[in-house]
Structures are given as structure tokens and as C-alpha cells.
Amino acid sequence: DIVMTQSPDSLAVSLGERATINCKSSQSIFYSSNNKNYLGWYQQKPGQPPKLLINWASTRESGVPDRFSGSGSGTDFTLTISSLQAEDVALYYCQQYYATPVTFGGGTKVEIK
Amino acid sequence: QVQLQESGPGLVKPSETLSLTCTVSGGSISSYYWSWIRQPPGKALEWIGYIYYTGSTHYNPSLKSRVTMSVDTSKNEFSLKLTSATATDTAVYFCARVSPTGSTGGPFDFWGQGTLVTVSS
């Protein structure tokens, strides 16, 4: 199985400041034939299902604010919230869909400092 | 807008079968892959498997011996059965749609609200 490791487990950021979440896969999830990284990022608020924010490592879903951005390739990926808003307090998960079983990271909790 | 809704018993006795159904509304179940994902209380997400509208399936090897998924296109729903339930199967169970712009394993663009299933006597 491809193991997804997120860091940090939690972070506290001041409103308007940048939040950065890292995700590392145990093997490359880049498929050279289509030049895509098979990685998604989700946001989960208490009592709600996860919401897909970004797919293919860097493509924002429709309606997702542009303060959310994804980057990285191969085995190392980052989700950046450029200017943290109160409504961004949540758990964030990365997920690889390069190979089955599909696997998720352990999650990163983002809070307001 | 596609909506998914899980249904089924919230309490299952140990050694019995956990059964859930996901009803899809606002769109057809056809031509998509559909998944079950679970989340034990306070823990991360675990993929259970996927089913295509044709009925073809792929399960997580960690659960494969106990899992069966099925689909009923006439009712626009798909189902999960997990046999020999134990306390470690206690979790919120989500059904989700695999994005048509993704691959068979994801990402998941529409999710049900989730249903808590507790395995306890």
C-alpha cells in the first residue's frame, strides 16, 4: 500500500496569515504517460463529510476560493492557504488515487492562533 | 446537483453483518464509479472499495474477505455488506462518487453526509 504521511498533525495560524500543510507519499504517484500526479486534498469540518478542494495535486475544484493552492510532484506535496480565514478552521486530508488501495493521510488540524 | 444519502442500521451486534445502502439523487448512477469510505471516531479515512454501475468491484485487500458491494441501477442505489462485524468496524460510513475527471480510485467529488454504525452487543 502507498502510505501517505501528513505534517504537521496540527497548526495554529493567525487570521490573514499563510498556512502550509505537507503530504508525502511512500512512492511516486506521478504517472509520466499523462504527466499527472494522482493526489487530492480535502477539507473536513466537524460533523460533515470531506469536501474535495484540489485534484491532480494542483487543480482547484469549481467554487473553491483561490487562497487554496496545491503544489508538488512525485512524492512531496503541499496545500497552502494563502490568507487564513475563520471558515478555514478544519481538518485537511491528502489522498492518493494512483493505485489501489486508495489511501489517505492522517489529517492536519488547522486552527486560529 | 448530485446528492447521496446513506441508510441502514446504526447498531450492529458483533459477528453480524453490517448492511448499508447509498441512494443517489439529482443524477444517474450510470457511467460512474462509486465508493464506500469509513472513518472511525477521531481517526482518519479508510477506503473500503469501489463499484462501477455495471457491477464490477474492487475492494481494499484489508477488508476484501468480508466485503460485498452491489448496485441497483433501477433504484439508483448501491450497497455495502460487511460480514463478521467487530468493534473495530465502528465508524462513520460515507458513500461517495468518484470524479468523472479522475481515475477509478478517485478523487471523490460528491459525498453522503455519513452514517455512524456502532458494533456492540
Side-chain angles (χ1 to χ4, degrees), chain B residues 26-70:
Chain B
S28 174
I29 202 168
S30 297
S31 302
Y32 293 99
Y33 286 86
W34 304 89
S35 269
W36 288 97
I37 296 150
R38 69 182 183 179
Q39 186 172 36
K43 296 188 178 180
L45 299 155
E46 180 183 26
W47 177 75
I48 299 171
Y50 71 66
I51 185 165
Y52 194 42
Y53 78 102
T54 56
S56 67
T57 56
H58 192 92
Y59 305 139
N60 191 324
S62 68
L63 297 167
K64 186 176 182 179
S65 63
R66 299 194 292 131
V67 170
T68 303
M69 294 182 188
S70 59

Side-chain angles (χ1 to χ4, degrees), chain A residues 11-20 67 81-86 88-89 110-113:
Chain A
L11 75 161
V13 175
S14 300
L15 288 172
E17 296 300 305
R18 178 185 301 261
T20 301
R67 63 180 181 273
I81 309 172
S82 61
S83 175
L84 192 74
Q85 305 300 303
D88 301 335
V89 169
V110 174
E111 300 173 305
I112 304 295
K113 186 186 291 183

